[in-house]
Amino acid sequence: MATAASFRPEAARSPPAVQPPAPPLSKFKVALCQLSVTADKARNIARAREAIEAAAAGGAKLVLLPEIWNGPYSNDSFPEYAEDIEAGGDAAPSFSMMSEVARSLQITLVGGSISERSGNKLYNTCCVFGSDGELKGKHRKIHLFDIDIPGKITFKESKTLTAGQDLTVVDTDVGRIGIGICYDIRFQELAMLYAARGAHLLCYPGAFNMTTGPLHWELLQRARAADNQLFVATCAPARDTSAGYIAWGHSTLVGPFGEVIATAEHEETTIMAEIDYSLIDQRRQFLPLQYQRRGDLYQLVDVQRSGSDE
């Protein structure tokens, strides 16, 4: 007869999962800035800065921006609004603003995403800034949004964008954060790997549409949180029914039991909520999944960690 020890739960993750580190802050306010986006890049940058400043004034230690917040979400616009993050300065006004405002307000900023130009390639890129204004991590969307739902929506990011090649886990003043962008949330393997790397929180800037948004947006967030027993925060653009691509909105914070802690509707707004990391340990005691996995039957391999010295 099989025993718990013979199930080898630690072998269900390869390399074995690491425990989340003790976070610098165990309880803090997060702000999700659901911004309206126009074709005026300078206006978008100014509006984002105003929202970040208001969130910090309200006590937020972590602020999130939406996916592609500095210009329209379209294959035509990605090249036009793209920034050279490595060059910085005038070549990257959105990036420069985020760095400067994170430093001046002493907050952690998950900067949504912008179109990034690197050589002859374009990426959908999320930059994470520390409270010193330094770039702590850069996630290039790894799963490109290529879908075709007849009569509803067709979009192919791969026409202009290149897929990223790296998972992104960032140690910040508000804990260890795993980053995904929009379509990345559909791939549970990514969230599972982030959890195995010790993340407290997963952040997904995203712009689901009017077809998949009502069906899947909240469902996927709650699934990622409940499966991995951690926090999930998403930030979407506000809905603009005159845009070529209409976003669903509904930026949301979900807790480690899959519970919706706070959520927006579709208009431009900032929602503030509290993250309490003590809930992670509590929920994992209630449901001790990490000790109940069947490493004798299945295994999730972190290819990049397996190939490193970690």
Side-chain angles (χ1 to χ4, degrees):
M1 183 169 141
T3 64
S6 69
F7 294 160
R8 301 178 61 232
E10 72 287 343
R13 300 290 182 267
S14 178
V18 299
Q19 291 299 310
L25 284 177
S26 61
K27 188 183 292 187
F28 59 91
K29 281 186 181 179
V30 58
L32 312 177
C33 299
Q34 186 165 286
L35 302 173
S36 64
V37 178
T38 71
D40 184 339
K41 185 174 181 178
R43 176 265 180 208
N44 295 334
I45 293 172
R47 187 74 192 93
R49 184 181 190 117
E50 290 171 4
I52 297 166
E53 290 173 342
K61 294 297 184 185
L62 171 64
V63 178
L64 273 67
L65 298 182
E67 181 184 24
I68 306 294
W69 59 265
N70 70 349
Y73 181 86
S74 74
N75 279 311
D76 289 339
S77 296
F78 294 150
E80 179 183 350
Y81 290 77
E83 300 190 3
D84 186 338
I85 290 171
E86 299 299 328
D90 291 341
S94 306
F95 175 89
S96 299
M97 179 279 288
M98 291 189 288
S99 173
E100 195 279 322
V101 78
R103 180 192 59 76
S104 64
L105 299 174
Q106 296 185 304
I107 58 165
T108 299
L109 177 61
V110 175
S113 79
I114 61 175
S115 179
E116 177 198 5
R117 187 180 301 281
S118 181
N120 60 356
K121 293 180 178 178
L122 294 176
Y123 299 93
N124 187 340
T125 299
C126 175
C127 296
V128 181
F129 299 90
S131 54
D132 56 2
E134 294 298 312
L135 181 65
K136 300 296 185 187
K138 184 173 75 171
H139 179 77
R140 291 168 167 168
K141 189 175 189 176
I142 60 177
H143 303 95
L144 294 184
F145 180 58
D146 285 10
I147 70 162
D148 183 11
I149 303 176
K152 296 289 187 178
I153 182 170
T154 299
F155 201 99
K156 301 219 180 303
E157 278 188 327
S158 61
K159 283 185 176 179
T160 54
L161 301 178
T162 298
Q165 295 297 319
D166 295 296
L167 279 66
T168 307
V169 178
V170 188
D171 284 314
T172 75
D173 290 345
V174 291
R176 182 169 290 179
I177 301 176
I179 303 292
I181 298 174
C182 201
Y183 204 54
D184 285 338
I185 201 172
R186 289 192 177 275
F187 298 86
Q188 66 267 41
E189 299 90 344
L190 178 63
M192 292 162 69
L193 290 174
Y194 284 160
R197 291 188 183 192
H200 302 99
L201 166 68
L202 306 184
C203 291
Y204 295 95
F208 268 46
N209 55 71
M210 298 298 291
T211 298
T212 60
L215 284 169
H216 299 151
W217 180 235
E218 182 182 299
L219 173 70
L220 289 167
Q221 295 174 65
R222 296 183 66 191
R224 299 296 86 86
D227 284 351
N228 297 290
Q229 300 177 301
L230 38 64
F231 285 87
V232 169
T234 63
C235 192
R239 189 180 306 168
D240 177 2
T241 55
S242 68
Y245 180 96
I246 303 174
W248 171 239
H250 294 270
S251 303
T252 303
L253 177 68
V254 182
F257 231 32
E259 72 278 23
V260 174
I261 296 172
T263 189
E265 292 297 325
H266 61 78
E267 70 283 351
E268 182 173 60
T269 187
T270 294
I271 57 171
M272 305 272 284
E274 184 176 81
I275 286 178
D276 181 354
Y277 285 145
S278 69
L279 292 177
I280 295 176
D281 288 338
Q282 183 190 83
R283 303 315 193 198
R284 290 179 180 183
Q285 288 171 8
F286 291 168
L287 295 174
L289 306 184
Q290 62 184 323
Y291 304 113
Q292 297 171 329
R293 294 192 175 100
R294 294 291 301 268
D296 59 326
L297 298 178
Y298 51 76
Q299 183 180 72
L300 179 70
V301 178
D302 188 329
V303 174
Q304 291 185 331
R305 270 184 72 206
S306 296
S308 72
D309 295 326
E310 290 182 57

